[in-house]
Amino acid sequence: MAERAAPESSKGHASKSMYWLIAVILGILTMLEVAVFYVPLLHSVIVPILLVLSTAKFALVAMFFMHLKFDKPILTTLFAGGIIVATAIILSMMLLFGTIGPGAHM
Amino acid sequence: MDPHATTFGVHSRKMAMWVFIASECMFFGSLIATYLSYEGKSLVGPTPEEILNIPLTSVSTFVLLMSSLAMVLALDAVQTGDRRSARLWLGAVIVLGGLFLGGQVYEFNHFYHEGLTLQQNLFGATFFVLTGFHGAHVTVGVIWMITLLVMSLRGRLGPERSLDVEVAGLYWHFVDVVWIVIFTVVYLIQ
């Protein structure tokens, strides 16, 4: 039977100043998202812009606040697995219901 | 040998929370998939363009993001044995989570009076189920934070119990990242 290692310490993550910096960046990204929503010129490209901004926010929270950047890779693998399945469900359903892909009627 | 250790070197409770979070990804993925599949297919109003309040929800989003900052600072304070800061930041998480829930109650009440109900149209059904389940998760998180604050006030939340706060924090941050997706998909991409 494989020897089980003692759980790693919860300490040793980012510094407090780093947490504040991440929070400021998250606030700025949220303001950018809302600004993009109100700029008519950007409405033709609003979906990719918002997807990039929200993915950046998601990644920052997961990496720094949830400590995935500093934790065991298995935890990132677990989380990524859930996200991949969720994304597959969303895309499959949208394709099935004709929201995206050939014959989209939105 | 620690009985709570796993072969991955992660505490079993922390591992369990991550497995739960992975399953929650699929749960919310299904709700978001349903919302997007029926988007724009309502036969009667109100529609998202007519009723969604972007300024209010933007403030709610900011409040929830800042609650994640408070959560991670609470964990840091518990780990370093700074009980006063731990109580302060746990209290901040509770207040900010309560503010978010208050905003959601106001929004739901406003929508109800504007004629949007669970049965009104496809938008109402999918919107209330998706955001309602998210709100229920926030409510559970706030109750969890209150129990941690009570533990701290009773002097039972020292550095040796930091895993309790870390696991609760993972749940709280997950609720935050789900809202990041909902805010973009439901409110901003109409």
Side-chain angles (χ1 to χ4, degrees):
Chain A
M1 195 178 120
E3 184 72 20
R4 288 183 294 184
E8 86 285 13
S9 166
S10 300
K11 291 185 180 181
H13 300 318
S15 63
K16 275 190 215 173
S17 55
M18 176 62 86
Y19 292 141
W20 281 97
L21 177 66
I22 298 297
V24 170
I25 295 171
L26 288 170
I28 292 169
L29 290 176
T30 304
M31 282 194 287
L32 278 175
E33 281 182 322
V34 178
V36 167
F37 178 81
Y38 284 111
V39 178
L41 271 176
L42 295 173
H43 277 191
S44 56
V45 286
I46 192 169
V47 174
I49 291 175
L50 288 176
L51 288 179
V52 167
L53 290 173
S54 68
T55 304
K57 286 166 69 181
F58 191 106
L60 283 173
V61 174
M63 285 167 62
F64 292 95
F65 288 175
M66 297 174 93
H67 301 140
L68 281 180
K69 184 175 164 62
F70 313 97
D71 242 321
K72 301 279 183 188
I74 182 68
L75 302 179
T76 305
T77 308
L78 260 177
F79 194 32
I83 292 167
I84 289 167
V85 174
T87 308
I89 293 169
I90 293 170
L91 293 177
S92 308
M93 287 276 284
M94 289 176 78
L95 203 61
L96 276 171
F97 279 72
T99 312
I100 56 169
H105 48 84
M106 267 191 70
Chain B
M1 194 172 75
D2 189 328
H4 294 291
T6 63
T7 49
F8 296 110
V10 180
H11 196 283
S12 56
R13 282 168 55 204
K14 187 169 161 183
M15 181 65 104
M17 176 48 78
W18 272 109
V19 172
F20 172 70
I21 286 174
S23 73
E24 286 278 275
C25 284
M26 294 173 237
F27 174 74
F28 277 104
S30 303
L31 294 179
I32 292 168
T34 309
Y35 177 86
L36 289 174
S37 300
Y38 287 128
E39 194 180 22
K41 294 185 173 72
S42 292
L43 298 177
V44 293
T47 61
E49 297 81 8
E50 291 167 349
I51 204 162
L52 292 179
N53 185 340
I54 303 302
L56 172 75
T57 319
S58 303
V59 173
S60 290
T61 303
F62 183 75
V63 164
L64 201 60
L65 285 171
M66 291 308 108
S67 76
S68 261
L69 170 68
M71 183 70 242
V72 84
L73 291 174
L75 173 62
D76 187 79
V78 171
Q79 286 174 339
T80 54
D82 185 350
R83 291 175 189 237
R84 194 164 166 269
S85 295
R87 289 167 192 167
L88 174 78
W89 291 119
L90 281 173
V93 177
I94 294 164
V95 169
L96 293 169
L99 276 174
F100 177 85
L101 287 173
Q104 194 167 42
V105 169
Y106 171 82
E107 183 186 45
F108 280 19
N109 191 46
H110 173 69
F111 287 180
Y112 177 76
H113 286 103
E114 291 289 320
L116 185 70
T117 62
L118 201 60
Q119 300 92 355
Q120 174 67 16
N121 56 20
L122 284 171
F123 167 61
T126 53
F127 172 83
F128 281 120
V129 170
L130 173 57
T131 56
F133 265 111
H134 179 267
H137 278 72
V138 176
T139 306
V140 170
V142 169
I143 293 167
W144 199 344
M145 295 308 144
I146 290 170
T147 61
L148 289 175
L149 181 60
V150 170
M151 281 173 68
S152 180
L153 290 170
R154 289 182 176 175
R156 289 166 46 201
L157 200 63
E160 74 285 354
R161 303 294 298 266
S162 64
L163 185 69
D164 292 358
V165 183
E166 189 175 4
V167 170
L170 287 174
Y171 175 84
W172 189 262
H173 298 309
F174 174 71
V175 168
D176 187 17
V177 293
V178 169
W179 186 255
I180 288 172
V181 177
I182 293 176
F183 178 59
T184 302
V185 168
V186 175
Y187 291 85
L188 298 180
I189 301 175
Q190 295 176 11

